[in-house]
């Protein structure tokens, strides 16, 4: 029964899928380090915080971790979680170097490329190579790779993007799409369809309404999705809580972006569903 499948939103773009037999994590950032630490210090996993997440959400183990790209807010905690859980890791060559820096066994690290399809339990995961969101000039490392094992602690600037992926997940005849990195480009293959889109609604620069609309049209409309669940909208420099704060308006006007996306979903007769931090829902049920 596909209704056994749940998803838990764990902040930023981190999502946990669990059908009772198989648990798959997309991205791995739980430490939520304060902004001053991110700017001024060499950073590493907050092991106390991450141990708490493991106990609460995947105490029974983790089968796989897929990394959309290697910026710190997607992959800082990958090495620690991979070591603690024994999960297989899938991502770019840069992701591989994050794993190697944390002594994850080589046989558990899988470098994927555009069009790679991985089957784990009843999940089939297709990788789509895409362009990352546009970045502010001061932080623009797009296309740069992590070229040697990255051993924490280190500065967040060492977590180079390393190429970006979206993931199409098929499960028991259903499909969902993970698009954490907002972009106005038309880059999703025409043949793909998904019932649910996990849509990144955050940028490192001010977005305009044309960008917002193009991001929506080139993902939600193109995939003919009937449900949109926003991700990467919360201020991940604040501690996790059941009531996450949005990215500060000084960086990105997320509230206006939410309003625009809700308007688009209403036009398309689609559902807009906000998941708060640590909140789980059952997928592909009539009640969704």
């Amino acid at each position: 029964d596909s209704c056994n499948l749940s998803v838990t939103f764990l902040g930023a773009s981190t999502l946990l899928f669990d059908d009772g037999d198989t648990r798959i994590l997309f991205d791995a950032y739980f430490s939520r380090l304060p902004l001053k630490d991110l700017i001024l210090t060499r950073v590493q996993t907050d092991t106390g915080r991450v141990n708490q997440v493991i106990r609460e959400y995947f105490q029974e183990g983790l089968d796989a971790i897929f990394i959309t790209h290697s910026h710190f807010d997607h992959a800082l905690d990958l090495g620690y979680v991979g070591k603690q859980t024994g999960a297989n890791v899938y991502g770019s060559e840069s992701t591989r170097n994050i794993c190697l820096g944390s002594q994850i066994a080589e046989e558990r690290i899988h470098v994927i490329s555009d069009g790679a399809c991985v089957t784990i339990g009843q999940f089939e995961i297709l990788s789509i190579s895409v362009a990352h969101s546009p970045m502010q000039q001061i932080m623009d490392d797009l296309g740069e790779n992590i070229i040697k094992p990255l051993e924490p602690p280190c500065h967040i600037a060492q977590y180079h993007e390393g190429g970006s992926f979206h993931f199409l997940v098929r499960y028991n005849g259903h499909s969902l799409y993970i698009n954490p990195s907002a972009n106005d480009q038309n880059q999703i293959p025409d043949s793909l369809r998904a019932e649910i889109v996990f849509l990144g609604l955050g940028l490192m620069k001010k977005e305009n309404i044309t960008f917002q609309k193009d991001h929506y049209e080139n993902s939600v409309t193109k995939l003919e999705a009937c449900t949109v669940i926003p991700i990467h909208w919360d201020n991940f420099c604040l501690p996790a809580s059941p009531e996450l704060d949005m990215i500060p308006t000084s960086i990105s006007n997320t509230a206006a972006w939410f309003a625009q996306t809700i308007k688009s979903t209403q036009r398309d007769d689609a559902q807009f569903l906000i998941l708060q931090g640590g909140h789980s829902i059952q997928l592909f049920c009539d009640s969704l």
Side-chain angles (χ1 to χ4, degrees):
D1 180 3
S2 58
C3 206
N4 291 336
L5 179 61
S6 70
V7 63
T8 305
F9 177 52
L10 292 166
S13 60
T14 304
L15 296 164
L16 173 68
F17 293 87
D18 184 351
D19 69 355
D21 295 315
T22 307
R23 280 166 292 278
I24 300 179
L25 191 68
F26 288 86
D27 287 345
Y29 185 57
F30 310 105
S31 290
R32 302 179 72 87
L33 301 173
L35 183 60
K36 63 177 173 53
D37 291 355
L38 294 176
I39 294 170
L40 299 174
T41 68
R42 296 161 75 224
V43 298
Q44 59 188 340
T45 289
D46 178 341
T47 56
R49 162 72 186 139
V50 177
N51 287 338
Q52 181 186 340
V53 170
I54 291 172
R55 281 195 302 272
E56 191 167 346
Y57 296 103
F58 38 96
Q59 177 74 48
E60 295 173 4
L62 198 58
D63 295 279
I65 306 169
F66 286 79
I67 299 295
T68 58
H69 62 276
S70 291
H71 281 151
F72 81 93
D73 54 325
H74 298 258
L76 179 77
D77 299 325
L78 165 63
Y80 185 78
V81 174
K83 283 281 280 188
Q84 293 296 309
T85 63
N88 282 291
V89 179
Y90 299 83
S92 66
E93 190 66 47
S94 293
T95 295
R96 176 177 177 272
N97 276 317
I98 293 173
C99 291
L100 292 176
S102 294
Q103 288 79 50
I104 290 178
E106 187 87 57
E107 64 267 18
R108 292 201 283 109
I109 309 169
H110 307 273
V111 175
I112 53 175
S113 55
D114 184 42
C117 198
V118 179
T119 300
I120 302 167
Q122 296 187 66
F123 295 84
E124 184 184 275
I125 297 129
L126 175 70
S127 309
I128 299 102
S129 288
V130 294
H132 187 279
S133 298
M135 298 283 283
Q136 285 181 350
Q137 203 164 3
I138 193 169
M139 296 182 66
D140 190 357
D141 70 345
L142 302 186
E144 292 183 30
N145 298 312
I146 301 168
I147 58 173
K148 61 182 182 181
L150 187 62
E151 191 173 335
C154 51
H155 194 271
I156 60 167
Q158 292 178 263
Y159 285 85
H160 296 308
E161 180 234 350
S164 293
F165 294 104
H166 291 171
F167 294 108
L168 178 78
V169 181
R170 297 187 177 101
Y171 184 88
N172 273 0
H174 294 281
S175 56
L176 58 90
Y177 196 90
I178 299 169
N179 175 356
S181 191
N183 205 303
D184 58 353
Q185 295 181 32
N186 181 4
Q187 52 186 352
I188 297 174
D190 294 340
S191 60
L192 300 186
R193 296 292 178 269
E195 294 154 75
I196 302 169
V197 176
F198 293 86
L199 190 68
L201 292 186
L203 269 186
M204 285 305 298
K205 61 194 295 185
K206 291 279 190 178
E207 71 295 320
N208 58 44
I209 196 161
T210 305
F211 182 99
Q212 293 170 0
K213 287 180 174 177
D214 287 346
H215 177 47
Y216 181 92
E217 297 295 330
N218 288 325
S219 48
V220 179
T221 304
K222 188 169 188 181
L223 291 161
E224 299 180 2
C226 49
T227 300
V228 177
I229 300 175
I231 57 174
H232 220 339
W233 54 267
D234 58 303
N235 182 352
F236 52 73
C237 297
L238 297 177
S241 76
E243 295 280 326
L244 296 174
D245 288 318
M246 287 185 172
I247 292 168
T249 308
S250 58
I251 297 171
S252 180
N253 193 348
T254 312
W257 203 344
F258 266 54
Q260 176 58 43
T261 307
I262 290 167
K263 196 170 161 185
S264 297
T265 54
Q266 287 172 340
R267 178 201 69 199
D268 295 343
D269 200 23
Q271 184 178 20
F272 185 79
L273 189 61
I274 299 170
L275 286 184
Q276 272 292 352
H279 188 64
S280 304
I281 54 167
Q282 299 300 120
L283 297 178
F284 308 126
C285 298
D286 292 340
S287 58
L288 180 62

